[in-house]
Amino acid sequence: QVQLVESGGGLVQAGGSLRLSCAASGRILRTLHMGWFRQPPGKERDLVAGISRNGGTIYYADSVKGRFTISRDHAKNTVYLQMNSLKAEDTAVYYCAADTLPGVQVPKTGGEYDYWGQGTQVTVSS
């Protein structure tokens, strides 16, 4: 079992920054592919950033490239999502997810992830 706890969400003005954290327990982080998803109101949940087990492969959705950065700290068993230049359309509930299956590629779809956090709300005011 893997437990994921997100933190760092909140209300921010457009152009501002937030850093989300996802603390993992139950399994060491270096055995997990990790992803950050988001679900805006009334829309589907989509991957915004993913990072492979060893950090060697990173994926970003086109909508966040150049603004968001995903990173992992194995010593703290924590994954981060640094979000800069936030826009109103970034408003969503953000979820951390973990994939425990073998493989080298970052999973792109929610169905490939085995464990999910409870989500943290990010609201960007324009």
Side-chain angles (χ1 to χ4, degrees), residues 2 9 11 16 34 45 50 52 55 57-58 60-61 65-66 70-71 74 82 87 93 95 97 105-106 110-111 125:
V2 177
L11 174 63
M34 299 297 295
R45 186 164 54 184
S52 60
T57 302
I58 291 177
Y60 294 105
K65 281 181 182 176
I70 188 171
S71 62
H74 290 168
Q82 178 67 44
K87 306 175 181 179
V93 178
Y95 297 90
Q105 298 299 321
V106 175
S125 62

Side-chain angles (χ1 to χ4, degrees), residues 2 7 12 34 46 50 54-55 69-70 73-74 81 86 88 105 114 117-118 123 125:
V2 177
S7 61
V12 64
M34 299 297 295
D46 292 318
N54 62 3
T69 303
I70 188 171
D73 185 334
H74 290 168
L81 185 67
L86 283 162
Q105 298 299 321
D114 307 299
Q118 81 287 354
T123 303
S125 62

Side-chain angles (χ1 to χ4, degrees), residues 29-42:
L29 195 63
R30 65 171 61 90
T31 66
L32 305 170
H33 292 316
M34 299 297 295
W36 283 101
F37 288 74
R38 69 184 180 189
Q39 186 168 20

Side-chain angles (χ1 to χ4, degrees), residues 8-125:
L11 174 63
V12 64
Q13 288 188 335
S17 298
L18 283 174
R19 188 177 79 157
L20 305 183
S21 300
C22 173
S25 60
R27 190 156 168 170
I28 57 173
L29 195 63
R30 65 171 61 90
T31 66
L32 305 170
H33 292 316
M34 299 297 295
W36 283 101
F37 288 74
R38 69 184 180 189
Q39 186 168 20
K43 297 185 178 180
E44 294 184 351
R45 186 164 54 184
D46 292 318
L47 180 68
V48 294
I51 187 166
S52 60
R53 287 182 178 81
N54 62 3
T57 302
I58 291 177
Y59 165 86
Y60 294 105
D62 288 343
S63 58
V64 306
K65 281 181 182 176
R67 301 188 298 121
F68 290 13
T69 303
I70 188 171
S71 62
R72 55 198 301 158
D73 185 334
H74 290 168
K76 296 182 178 180
N77 233 42
T78 299
V79 175
Y80 303 98
L81 185 67
Q82 178 67 44
M83 306 185 295
N84 299 328
S85 302
L86 283 162
K87 306 175 181 179
E89 51 264 42
D90 294 318
T91 294
V93 178
Y94 284 71
Y95 297 90
C96 174
D99 170 33
T100 62
L101 296 180
V104 298
Q105 298 299 321
V106 175
K108 304 292 195 306
T109 62
E112 298 176 86
Y113 288 82
D114 307 299
Y115 296 96
W116 294 83
Q118 81 287 354
T120 186
Q121 177 70 46
V122 171
T123 303
V124 184
S125 62

